């Protein structure tokens, strides 16, 4: 998905990428890394708040890296470096490069082939002093995800490989990160079904009310300390290096 105006669900997805990309804003950042970038939108949203930063990004797909470069350029980001690679052996930073002030990984850990190696790759990317990490992924404990598992004999590998937020938090705290805050986003069933109905049959009539409901729910969950996790299909966390 490239986030272009006119794409079905565009306002909703734009809000989600912005929610993750600005969950822990670092306007002082000099180096930002989108760790498994896809189309690059979360990293781009972060870089738009840090005008002096270099945005770096990698993905296993060369096409996604090219798309990220195009999207960054279209958003006016001039300092961009993209490479091809996997989280288990990330192409950033190289030995002669310093680590990143802000690392964002959104929707990537559930694709990890070796999650322990993936964690180590993530850790190596974050600056050891005052480095910020934002990580998010799908939530296997949500009401909607539990219903899918109960109703469907076959599920995508990503859903089967998804990690609970608490598991990821523990793994990162053991690696020297301090948890700052968590939140859920992307309200669970029946909101995705209602969004599909709105786009497929109602000409987008319900898109904005559903978007506002998502925004309100995510903001409330953040204020409550992520106590409503089963109400959201995705989670996001902010960490700092100790």
């Amino acid at each position: 998905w490239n986030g272009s105006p006119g794409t079905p669900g565009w306002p909703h997805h734009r809000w989600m990428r912005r929610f993750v990309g600005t969950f822990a804003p670092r306007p002082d950042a000099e180096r930002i890394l989108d760790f498994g970038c896809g189309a690059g939108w979360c990293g781009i949203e972060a870089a738009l708040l840090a005008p002096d930063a270099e945005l770096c990004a990698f993905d296993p797909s060369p096409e996604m890296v090219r798309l990220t470069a195009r999207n960054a350029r279209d958003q006016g980001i001039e300092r961009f470096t993209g490479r091809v690679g996997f989280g288990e052996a990330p192409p950033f930073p190289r030995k002669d490069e310093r680590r990143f002030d802000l690392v964002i990984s959104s929707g990537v850990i559930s694709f990890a082939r070796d999650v322990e190696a993936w964690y180590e790759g993530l850790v190596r990317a974050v600056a050891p002093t005052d480095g910020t990490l934002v990580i998010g992924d799908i939530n296997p404990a949500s009401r909607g995800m539990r219903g899918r598992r109960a109703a469907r004999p076959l599920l995508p590998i990503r859903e089967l490989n998804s990690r609970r937020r608490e598991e990821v938090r523990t793994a990162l705290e053991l690696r020297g990160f301090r948890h700052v805050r968590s939140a859920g986003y992307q309200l669970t069933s029946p909101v995705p079904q209602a969004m599909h109905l709105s786009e497929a049959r109602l000409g987008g009539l319900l898109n904005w009310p559903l978007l506002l409901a998502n925004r309100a729910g995510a903001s409330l969950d953040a204020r409550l300390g992520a106590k409503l996790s089963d109400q959201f299909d995705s989670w996001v966390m902010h960490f700092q290096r100790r």
Side-chain angles (χ1 to χ4, degrees):
W1 178 79
N2 65 14
S4 301
T7 302
W10 181 71
H12 177 65
H13 289 289
R14 183 183 183 190
W15 170 78
M16 288 195 296
R17 82 192 195 203
R18 185 172 292 169
F19 184 77
V20 175
T22 63
F23 193 68
R26 285 291 305 266
D28 62 328
E30 296 180 4
R31 283 169 61 78
I32 297 172
L33 175 64
D34 197 329
F35 193 97
C37 57
W41 285 113
C42 289
I44 289 169
E45 293 290 347
L48 290 174
L49 297 182
D52 295 329
E54 176 189 13
L55 174 61
C56 299
F58 74 87
D59 194 272
S61 166
E63 181 58 32
M64 287 295 101
V65 176
R66 286 192 291 269
L67 180 58
T68 298
R70 188 186 75 187
N71 289 337
R73 183 177 62 251
D74 289 347
Q75 294 297 311
I77 296 171
E78 298 180 357
R79 300 179 62 202
F80 174 79
T81 303
R83 294 172 187 161
V84 175
F86 290 86
E88 291 84 351
F92 293 101
R94 291 174 176 164
K95 290 184 179 180
D96 60 341
E97 296 172 334
R98 68 182 184 86
R99 300 184 188 185
F100 292 85
D101 306 302
L102 172 61
V103 175
I104 298 176
S105 178
S106 178
V108 183
I109 189 172
S110 51
F111 289 104
R113 299 167 297 176
D114 180 342
V115 71
E116 294 301 318
W118 191 92
Y119 281 133
E120 295 304 317
L122 189 67
V123 169
R124 289 195 300 272
V126 184
T129 302
D130 198 32
T132 299
L133 170 64
V134 174
I135 181 170
D137 208 272
I138 58 175
N139 175 21
S142 76
R143 185 178 68 249
M145 293 290 184
R146 294 198 307 269
R148 282 171 61 84
R149 288 197 296 273
R152 297 193 179 189
L154 295 175
L155 290 169
I157 292 297
R158 184 187 178 203
E159 289 188 29
L160 296 175
N161 198 41
S162 58
R163 309 278 166 170
R164 290 176 180 264
R165 186 191 67 216
E166 295 80 4
E167 175 189 347
V168 177
R169 175 176 174 174
T170 297
L172 291 170
E173 288 177 334
L174 289 173
R175 289 167 169 83
F177 285 86
R178 176 178 61 86
H179 174 263
V180 179
R181 68 180 184 129
S182 300
Y185 69 100
Q186 204 171 13
L187 285 168
T188 193
S189 179
V191 172
Q193 294 89 333
M195 182 66 76
H196 176 74
L197 174 66
S198 175
E199 294 170 358
R201 298 188 180 182
L202 302 178
L205 180 65
L206 300 179
N207 285 12
W208 283 106
L210 291 169
L211 171 63
L212 292 175
N214 260 320
R215 293 177 64 174
S219 297
L220 176 62
D221 192 46
R223 288 197 297 271
L224 294 176
K227 302 294 186 184
L228 307 174
S229 62
D230 64 339
Q231 301 302 312
F232 298 90
D233 283 340
S234 300
W235 52 261
V236 61
M237 292 187 286
H238 167 201
F239 293 89
Q240 291 291 135
R241 292 301 290 261
R242 290 176 177 169

